[in-house]
């Protein structure tokens, strides 16, 4: 018995809806109209003979069959993209000494790098993670070929590839006492997050004290989740045991944070495939991936 083909553009539309949570956002990801994306999902359901989404006027979620399909669809699209890259692009090969800031999508980076390794098996990555300032020092000393770092300082460097909102974070059971100074968890100076935290609270004349000074962003997360105080980080740092504080009169509104790539000219044949891959993979996430 011959089964009908699963068309890749239908799967791509389905994955975009599943990952973004809406037909409108998925339309931006795949570059089609919302109605076209909806028709592709309906056509996919018709081919499968199964519903892949539970839809109401207010909610959209995967059915159990949709959850199973999502795993297979990602594998099929990844294999398609791998084959097309091999045929249409010269194979990237060599060793890339890459520094990645702790600020950059901490929850997703391991999975993204693993997938990049499958798509570009000829690229070996020597990965260093840490604070942006330390990575830039290593780059300037020629110990790294490229750096993905948080933009900051009076002379910002590099090309922006990712933006996301900054938020105030506290433990899930945090209860503020506004009769006392705000207890802050922060990194030691120099640190852009620390400077922005202080400036924001000073702008509303809110008193504060340094309750904890950590040596890494992982330490900051642990201290906040443990209830030692409040901090300012990108939204991608929210994890179980934390909450986002939403009182703009007491916790002032914050700008976007930007992540840049430095070193495109130093190892262009290796850096460009990585940056293209990251921006394509991050499209539709909570932050904003800037087109390469």
């Amino acid at each position: 018995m011959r089964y009908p083909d699963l068309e890749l553009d239908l799967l791509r539309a389905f994955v975009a809806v599943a990952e973004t949570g809406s037909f409108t956002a998925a339309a931006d990801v795949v570059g089609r109209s919302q109605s076209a994306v909806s028709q592709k999902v309906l056509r996919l359901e018709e081919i499968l003979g199964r519903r892949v989404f539970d839809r109401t006027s207010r909610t959209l979620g995967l059915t159990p069959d949709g959850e199973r399909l999502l795993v297979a669809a990602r594998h099929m699209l990844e294999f398609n993209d791998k084959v097309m890259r091999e045929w249409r692009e010269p194979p990237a090969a060599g060793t890339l000494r890459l520094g990645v800031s702790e600020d950059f999508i901490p929850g997703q980076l391991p999975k993204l790098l693993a997938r990049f390794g499958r798509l570009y098996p000829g690229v070996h990555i020597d990965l260093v993670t840490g604070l942006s300032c330390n990575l830039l020092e290593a780059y300037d000393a020629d110990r790294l070929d490229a750096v993905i770092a948080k933009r900051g300082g009076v002379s910002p460097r590099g090309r922006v590839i990712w933006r996301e909102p900054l938020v105030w974070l506290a433990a899930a059971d945090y209860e503020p006492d506004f009769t006392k100074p705000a207890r802050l968890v922060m990194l030691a100076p120099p640190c852009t997050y620390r400077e922005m935290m202080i400036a924001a609270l000073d702008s509303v004349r809110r008193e504060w004290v340094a309750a904890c000074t950590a040596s890494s962003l992982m330490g900051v997360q642990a201290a906040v989740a443990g209830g030692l105080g409040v901090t300012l980080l990108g939204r991608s740092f929210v994890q179980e045991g934390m909450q986002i504080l939403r009182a703009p009169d007491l916790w002032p509104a914050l700008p976007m944070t930007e992540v840049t790539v430095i070193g495109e000219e130093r190892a262009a044949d290796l850096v460009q495939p990585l940056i293209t891959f990251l921006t394509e993979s991050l499209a539709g996430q909570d932050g904003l991936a800037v087109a390469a």
Side-chain angles (χ1 to χ4, degrees):
M1 178 178 179
R2 187 181 187 281
Y3 294 102
D5 293 331
L6 280 176
E7 300 169 31
L8 291 178
D9 64 326
L10 304 185
L11 292 176
R12 207 173 290 279
F14 161 69
V15 170
V17 175
E19 292 183 341
T20 62
S22 80
F23 285 88
T24 301
D28 292 334
V29 172
V30 301
R32 299 293 181 91
S33 67
Q34 180 180 341
S35 61
V37 171
S38 180
Q39 287 300 313
K40 288 180 183 297
V41 171
L42 289 174
R43 173 58 180 157
L44 179 62
E45 291 180 324
E46 180 183 324
I47 292 173
L48 294 171
R50 309 280 184 92
R51 289 174 57 247
V52 295
F53 288 111
D54 279 325
R55 309 176 185 85
T56 70
S57 59
R58 294 185 177 180
T59 63
L60 174 70
L62 288 167
T63 64
D65 288 326
E67 292 174 349
R68 289 174 52 213
L69 178 63
L70 183 59
V71 175
R74 283 170 170 160
H75 285 310
M76 292 176 69
L77 293 173
E78 181 177 317
F79 181 74
N80 173 80
D81 294 347
K82 179 178 182 294
V83 171
M84 292 306 298
R85 281 191 175 94
E86 289 175 351
W87 280 93
R88 302 188 65 174
E89 299 176 5
T95 296
L96 175 63
R97 299 175 301 169
L98 177 66
V100 179
S101 171
E102 293 179 337
D103 308 89
F104 188 54
I105 49 172
Q108 301 178 58
L109 185 60
K111 292 182 290 185
L112 288 173
L113 291 178
R115 182 166 174 250
F116 178 80
R118 293 193 297 270
L119 292 173
Y120 295 93
V123 178
H124 175 260
I125 296 180
D126 280 342
L127 180 65
V128 178
T129 60
L131 300 178
S132 295
C133 56
N134 296 332
L135 296 176
L136 291 174
E137 288 179 5
Y139 174 81
D140 291 337
D142 200 26
R143 297 195 301 273
L144 293 173
D145 298 315
V147 170
I148 297 175
K150 181 170 85 277
R151 171 171 277 192
V154 294
S155 300
R157 304 167 63 178
R159 180 169 64 86
V160 176
I161 61 168
W162 171 257
R163 297 186 180 98
E164 72 170 334
L166 290 171
V167 294
W168 294 100
L169 295 178
D173 58 356
Y174 171 78
E175 294 183 3
D177 182 353
F178 296 112
T179 65
K180 298 179 180 179
R183 295 176 58 81
L184 303 183
V185 176
M186 52 180 60
L187 293 169
C191 171
T192 305
Y193 289 134
R194 180 189 183 103
E195 295 168 0
M196 294 180 70
M197 219 179 336
I198 294 171
L201 293 179
D202 285 350
S203 70
V204 295
R205 300 183 181 278
R206 182 87 186 278
E207 294 185 357
W208 58 271
V209 295
C212 175
T213 301
S215 60
S216 69
L217 289 172
M218 185 178 296
V220 169
Q221 285 179 291
V224 170
L228 293 185
V230 174
T231 199
L232 176 159
L233 286 174
R235 189 165 57 189
S236 59
F237 280 89
V238 180
Q239 61 183 18
E240 187 176 354
M242 289 184 181
Q243 64 168 307
I244 296 175
L245 301 178
R246 305 181 185 277
D249 51 334
L250 301 168
W251 303 106
L254 300 166
M256 302 282 279
T257 185
E258 296 182 329
V259 172
T260 66
V261 57
I262 298 102
E264 290 179 280
E265 70 291 342
R266 186 177 287 185
D269 57 332
L270 298 180
V271 174
Q272 194 53 54
L274 175 64
I275 300 309
T276 300
F277 166 77
L278 289 175
T279 53
E280 289 176 353
S281 300
L282 292 170
Q285 302 293 328
D286 283 345
L288 170 65
V290 183

